[in-house]
Amino acid sequence: MKRLAIYCGSATPADPVYMDCARSVGGGLAARGIGVVYGGGRLGLMGAVADSALSAGGEVIGVIPQALVDAEVAHRGLTELRTVEGMHERKRAFTDLSDGFVTIPGGTGTMDELWEALSWAQLGYHAKPVGLLNVAGYYDTLIAFWAKMGAVGFLRAQHRDLLIVADTLDDLLARMAAHVPTQPIVRMKTADL
């Protein structure tokens, strides 16, 4: 994996474990020679990922909608900052520029990005690994919900492993490197759907 899209929040929570995670991910990826593609912001976890990767000599590509540039939240010190019209173009660029996706803690925007990466993998729009770093149990209930979707029947058995979960970056990257794409919906027969 040469580049990973990192999905995370633009907020700075009171508990330092989340900012520490962002710094660890940014620096850890740069130390491994893995570039970062992210939302292009300078605030919160997003800024911490970027700054840590840059400080460690890593490549950081930001993709940010013009409206957020206008709101003065763009990080101006990146390897490259791409400005796009809206969120759809932003997420398409994340997919085009990266070899996989890592989600660390965040809010609704982060969830939107994670679910779209999973949905696109399920449909067959990409075959890249989708990782979730479960820092301090932040995603425990989301992981339980993913399992419930499978148990109820809304998530096909062949797609249950699309979400790759780990508690540490080392473990997550190892699991993502071992990812084997599943059969996407677009290649299934009607009887399998």
Side-chain angles (χ1 to χ4, degrees), residues 32-131:
R32 292 168 175 84
I34 300 172
V36 168
V37 180
Y38 86 115
R42 61 179 174 77
L43 304 175
L45 273 69
M46 290 175 66
V49 166
D51 289 341
S52 296
L54 291 166
S55 292
E59 173 194 48
V60 181
I61 300 172
V63 184
I64 189 166
Q66 183 63 51
L68 293 177
V69 173
D70 296 344
E72 299 183 3
V73 299
H75 194 306
R76 300 292 184 172
L78 305 176
T79 308
E80 181 181 349
L81 182 64
R82 295 184 181 199
T83 303
V84 295
E85 284 302 309
M87 295 303 287
H88 295 295
E89 295 88 356
R90 182 191 218 183
K91 290 184 284 186
R92 180 83 243 170
F94 289 153
T95 302
D96 292 344
L97 293 168
S98 71
D99 299 312
F101 311 88
V102 171
T103 299
I104 65 174
T108 55
T110 304
M111 292 301 90
D112 174 55
E113 293 162 342
L114 170 64
W115 289 113
E116 185 160 293
L118 287 166
S119 176
W120 285 16
Q122 185 177 351
L123 290 168
Y125 295 152
H126 72 76
K128 301 173 183 184
V130 181

Side-chain angles (χ1 to χ4, degrees), residues 4-7 25 100-104 131-133 169 172-173 176:
L4 290 173
I6 307 302
Y7 297 148
V25 167
F101 311 88
V102 171
T103 299
I104 65 174
L132 182 71
L133 189 58
L169 182 61
L172 184 63
L173 293 176
M176 290 175 68

Side-chain angles (χ1 to χ4, degrees), residues 132-192:
L132 182 71
L133 189 58
N134 189 26
V135 176
Y138 183 76
Y139 285 119
D140 286 351
T141 52
L142 185 143
I143 295 163
F145 178 64
W146 180 262
K148 182 168 185 161
M149 286 192 300
V152 169
F154 286 113
L155 182 63
R156 291 169 181 84
Q158 59 268 45
H159 298 142
R160 290 182 188 172
D161 292 334
L162 286 176
L163 182 61
I164 302 167
V165 179
D167 296 336
T168 67
L169 182 61
D170 285 338
D171 191 22
L172 184 63
L173 293 176
R175 290 179 186 197
M176 290 175 68
H179 168 71
V180 176
T182 60
Q183 183 183 25
I185 289 173
V186 296
R187 293 199 186 112
M188 291 180 174
K189 297 185 185 315
T190 306
D192 297 327

